[in-house]
Every structure is written in C-alpha cells, then in structure tokens.
Amino acid sequence: MNILTFDIEEWFHILDNESTKTINEWKNYDVRIHQNMERIFNILERTKTKATFFCLGWIGETYPEIIKEISNRGYEVGSHTRMHQLIYEQTPAEFEKDLEFSIKTLENITGQKVKYFRAPGFSIREENKWAFEILVKHGIEIDASVFPAKRAHGGLPSYGKAEPSLLRYNGITLKEFPINFKSYLGKSIVFSGGGYFRLFPYSIIKNWTSESEYLMSYLHPRDFDFKQPMIKELPLSRKFKSYVGLKGSEKKLVRWLKDFEFTDIGTATKQIDWNNIPIVDI
Ligand SMILES: [Zn+2]
C-alpha cells in the first residue's frame, strides 16, 4: 500500500529557523504557492493519482482559492495546523487554539469535515503526546504525525510500528498512518519525501519502494520548485537539505507514480481491516 500525501505550505515554511518562524518573517518572501500547486495538480492529472493534502490554515486564510481548488478537484483536505509551529514548543492551549482555527478555516472553504491531521515536522514527541487527545477532541479521526524513529525535529521512536495501526493514549483511539523508513547504514532513512526523496537517484527510490509493503509519502509544493529563492540565513547543511535535487524531482515523482500504485488516505482507510491491525498503547 502506497499513500500519496502533500503538506500544503509555502516554500518559506521552514521549521527551526528564526528567519522563517512567524508571520512577521513570512511577509518578506515571494508568493510561489499558486504556480507550485499548478505543477502538483498537473502531475496528479497526468498520472491519474489520488492524494491527501494536509493544508495550513494560514494558506486557507490567505489564499482560500487554493484550498477550494484542491477540494473541487476531488482531493482530500486535512489539517497541517494553522501557523506551522513545532507542537513541542507550544502549550496544550496554544496548540488547541491553532488547531481549532485551522479546522474551521478549511471546513468553511470546502464545506467538508476535516478528519485528517499531520503535525509540522512530525513534532509530536514523548513529552507532548497530549496533542493526540486534543486532535480527537476536535474531530480528527486519522493522524499521520507519527515518525517512529529518531529525527531532528520530532520523532516518537517508542511507537515501534511503521504501518497502519490504532494509537491508544489516555482513553482515546486514533487511526494512525505513521511514516515508513528504510534502515540503511545504521540510519533510518525516510526516502518517501523531503530531502532524501530528492537526494537519492530514482533507481534506489524504486528499489526501496518495491521492498516496502506500506509506504507513506510526504511531499511539499517547494520540493518541485527549482526556482525558489535561497534563504540566506539557513546553515549550510540545511541549505543542502532544502535545495538538493529540486531540478529532477518533478520527473522523479512522475516516474514513481507511473511505476507504482498510489492512493489517498480515505481509500487506504477503506482497504484496511481495522479489527486486525496492531494496537499501540503509547
Ligand atoms: Zn510542514
């Protein structure tokens, strides 16, 4: 099962960096989301692929036409929070307010209930598992925020399952679609999105995809925008990670979607026998 998802944010929504942290900084940057969304819509149309879009509430407030277009084209809309902050840096009250606002904004545009969620930077860790309770309180049924390995921003290595599962915490239950990864040279490589998807040659991505029974992708509009400006303040290693492989990534995605069958979360949810999958108490 291969699931195609996009996190819908601008090219400058880069985490853990002072010059891209809040709306005050975002004002300084060019608007590139419309052309980047056109590119994604074209790819999906050409390859006849369904996808789930985790959208920032801020995108909905600023460019409602983008969310409307996603929904009109028949794709699923989930929440990626309102203001793209690391959840482990927020208080429960701050997170709840942000989440609620994002859900309302998206629902008002599409007229459909928001049931899906992904945390910015997979930023639900051991110390902020309370976020799952808040998700359920606000009608989220399916989550894709678990990164079951160590990483820079987030990561919940104790989760222990990189496959669809039922997440249980403090009396709540969520259907969970964690990110999957490949163990390679002692590292957990998430090759189905972000920097590694752009860095590795397609032959490797293809091999690893064939070997994966379950694959959860996470792509962004900026992953295909080879004309995006460089954010000067980023450290060199992060510049590399943010800009490597941008030129070939569109072609790579098209090949990937032609070689393998991908679907959206809603379709995947229907294919899974939820009475017969791992239950993870966290
Ligand atoms: Zn994001």
Side-chain angles (χ1 to χ4, degrees):
M1 170 181 288
N2 305 311
I3 304 174
L4 186 63
T5 73
F6 294 88
D7 296 352
I8 300 308
E9 55 196 54
E10 261 287 15
W11 64 278
F12 49 76
H13 285 124
I14 293 175
L15 290 162
D16 229 357
N17 174 59
E18 284 305 314
S19 64
T20 51
K21 197 171 168 66
T22 70
I23 199 162
N24 293 324
E25 290 81 51
W26 302 347
K27 285 184 206 131
N28 302 325
Y29 298 114
D30 296 349
V31 178
R32 302 187 63 79
I33 189 74
H34 298 85
Q35 62 197 78
N36 288 340
M37 289 307 297
E38 273 310 308
R39 186 184 285 117
I40 289 173
F41 291 143
N42 280 336
I43 295 171
L44 296 184
E45 211 143 276
R46 265 152 66 201
T47 56
K48 298 191 171 38
T49 314
K50 289 184 181 180
T52 302
F53 291 76
F54 294 105
C55 304
L56 284 189
W58 179 82
I59 292 281
E61 291 158 55
T62 319
Y63 312 110
E65 66 280 7
I66 287 178
I67 308 299
K68 191 91 202 148
E69 185 69 19
I70 293 171
S71 171
N72 283 349
R73 285 174 181 256
Y75 303 120
E76 298 178 322
V77 172
S79 167
H80 190 45
T81 74
R82 179 189 184 197
M83 298 303 262
H84 207 253
Q85 300 298 303
L86 290 165
I87 299 173
Y88 55 74
E89 289 183 350
Q90 294 179 303
T91 64
E94 284 168 344
F95 172 64
E96 182 163 11
K97 198 172 153 207
D98 177 293
L99 174 76
E100 208 180 352
F101 207 98
S102 80
I103 291 175
K104 275 199 187 129
T105 303
L106 299 171
E107 287 183 348
N108 281 342
I109 299 170
T110 65
Q112 305 218 14
K113 212 175 140 351
V114 169
K115 295 184 289 186
Y116 309 139
F117 177 82
R118 174 177 287 143
F122 303 96
S123 57
I124 304 182
R125 307 198 291 207
E126 289 296 335
E127 73 267 27
N128 63 327
K129 290 188 289 198
W130 44 255
F132 293 120
E133 290 177 273
I134 296 174
L135 293 177
V136 171
K137 184 177 164 191
H138 290 280
I140 299 297
E141 295 169 15
I142 297 171
D143 176 71
S145 306
V146 168
F147 189 101
K150 278 204 178 121
R151 78 187 303 267
H153 304 299
L156 200 60
S158 67
Y159 195 79
K161 295 269 177 229
E163 59 186 294
S165 34
L166 286 175
L167 178 156
R168 287 200 307 205
Y169 175 68
N170 240 358
I172 58 105
T173 305
L174 268 168
K175 293 187 172 98
E176 179 62 45
F177 284 91
I179 207 83
N180 67 296
F181 55 85
K182 173 85 191 164
S183 298
Y184 180 66
L185 303 174
K187 284 187 93 181
S188 305
I189 309 275
V190 175
F191 61 93
S192 55
Y196 283 126
F197 176 76
R198 285 181 271 110
L199 175 68
F200 285 112
Y202 180 67
S203 55
I204 291 182
I205 302 281
K206 190 176 173 182
N207 278 347
W208 288 352
T209 304
S210 313
E211 290 166 17
S212 308
E213 253 175 64
Y214 162 77
L215 184 146
M216 168 56 81
S217 59
Y218 75 110
L219 298 159
H220 307 83
R222 69 166 165 276
D223 287 328
F224 310 95
D225 180 5
F226 59 91
K227 287 189 175 154
Q228 67 188 282
M230 178 81 74
I231 292 179
K232 291 192 288 291
E233 292 83 356
L234 280 182
L236 205 62
S237 62
R238 297 207 54 201
K239 268 188 190 142
F240 177 74
K241 224 185 143 192
S242 298
Y243 298 95
V244 67
L246 288 173
K247 267 210 158 141
S249 57
E250 178 173 352
K251 223 171 122 191
K252 194 184 274 180
L253 177 60
V254 171
R255 289 182 73 183
W256 205 32
L257 299 182
K258 282 185 175 168
D259 286 345
F260 298 93
E261 197 181 320
F262 277 82
T263 192
D264 58 11
I265 289 183
T267 309
T269 302
K270 285 184 202 132
Q271 288 168 358
I272 292 167
D273 175 6
W274 291 96
N275 294 318
N276 249 324
I277 56 153
I279 298 171
V280 184
D281 289 296
I282 58 163

